[in-house]
Amino acid sequence: MPKKNGEHILVTGCYRSGTTIVEKIINMHPKATIASQPFPILFFIFKEQFNEIRGIKRRYPLDHLFLETNYKNQDFVKFIQEYSIDKKLLSEFQARMRDYTEGLWTPGIIEVLDQLQPGTFFDIYKNLLHLIATMYSANEDNLVGSKEVLIEEYTPAMIEMGVKVIFVVRDPRDMITSLNFRIRDNRTGENRPILYSLRAWRKSVAFAYAAATRKEGCLVRYEDLVSSQWNTINTITHYLGIEEFKDDAFDDGIVDQNGKGWKGNSSFTDQNGISGNSLHKYKKYLPQDIRKFIEVVCAPEMRLLGYISRARIDEVDDVIESYRDPFESSHSKFKQGYSHTQDRLKREKERLILLKKGIDDADKQRQWFIAPEIYSAMSSMNGQNGNNTDKTDR
């Protein structure tokens, strides 16, 4: 039977942010079982239905939510709590899962999809986790969960339903370096425009910070995990309500869900165990103009999370207006020049101006900054010179 409330886990965050290593670490705990991206189509299909019912057209159903005016976060929460898919839509989900190849890291789930029944998102989600527990022969008292990226808009409803959500965030400069300037294939697909990915990163940070502020979710910085291993891992186990790992738990490295040694999924080189080798790759591989662009458009969130942004007020306009992606997007869902259309760049400047001036209207705060908690925190930091220090950037 599906687990009771409070006994499910979700690890999420932006792509290339460290969600996989967090998932692997938790899965090594004797009281936890987590599958890696086992059913991404479930999250796609419910968001697609939500958009279709409201007449919303988006290139991705899981969009970055920046300047979303068609609905509020609570509208989507209500939808996934109440909307049920029928047999026809369930069959579509099953068929799309079988056709899905990019990003499906738990192929064994395909063999058990026929056991599902129509229902609400949570009906299907909990039954899928039950099937995962069976696949991995998990103990009946284990916490069972999954890792999925880019699904942060689901987390308020999932937390409300008792799911333990761990958000993983990473310096956006390293995230972009890993995503767009990789040395080897990391199965993230074709190049997406850099601005699109930065907006997705900001969405992730907003939901993570809001949940952590309400003490409902656990926010983990990738940099803290690799530089302060045990403090971070103990924070995770405490949040999950399970005992701490034994001191020698990772002496032989990390193993995957099949018990095999895991060498990481770095965009650059294999890694053993919990390694800091991926820190600050941006210093070597990220072009200077892109670094400056990231430090401008993500400056408020970076400073809030303790990442250094050296963006200066007197260079903001020039950095934004002169920015160009170093490649034409090869992704079929994006037109060329996405990151430097005048309208998008104008809105990026306007966002920074609004944060400085202040926004009283709660709905506008949501449209520009997604979560009131992060808007309030960044607004209160406004006026600082940004020369905060971060031990990971020294």
Side-chain angles (χ1 to χ4, degrees), residues 65 71-78 153 156 207 366 370-371:
L65 303 186
Y71 67 94
K72 299 178 181 179
N73 298 337
Q74 55 264 39
D75 297 328
F76 183 60
V77 169
K78 187 173 186 291
E153 55 258 55
F207 279 101
R366 174 191 60 78
I370 299 177

Side-chain angles (χ1 to χ4, degrees), residues 159 164-165 208-219 239 373:
I159 289 171
K164 292 281 191 176
V165 181
Y209 189 86
T213 299
R214 295 192 296 264
K215 300 187 184 304
E216 296 175 343
C218 180
L219 190 159
Y239 170 71
E373 291 89 350

Side-chain angles (χ1 to χ4, degrees), residues 135-157:
M135 284 169 50
Y136 290 119
S137 301
N139 295 328
E140 290 186 3
D141 60 344
N142 267 20
L143 300 176
V144 180
S146 64
K147 184 270 288 193
E148 294 287 352
V149 296
L150 303 175
I151 64 164
E152 293 89 353
E153 55 258 55
Y154 278 84
T155 59

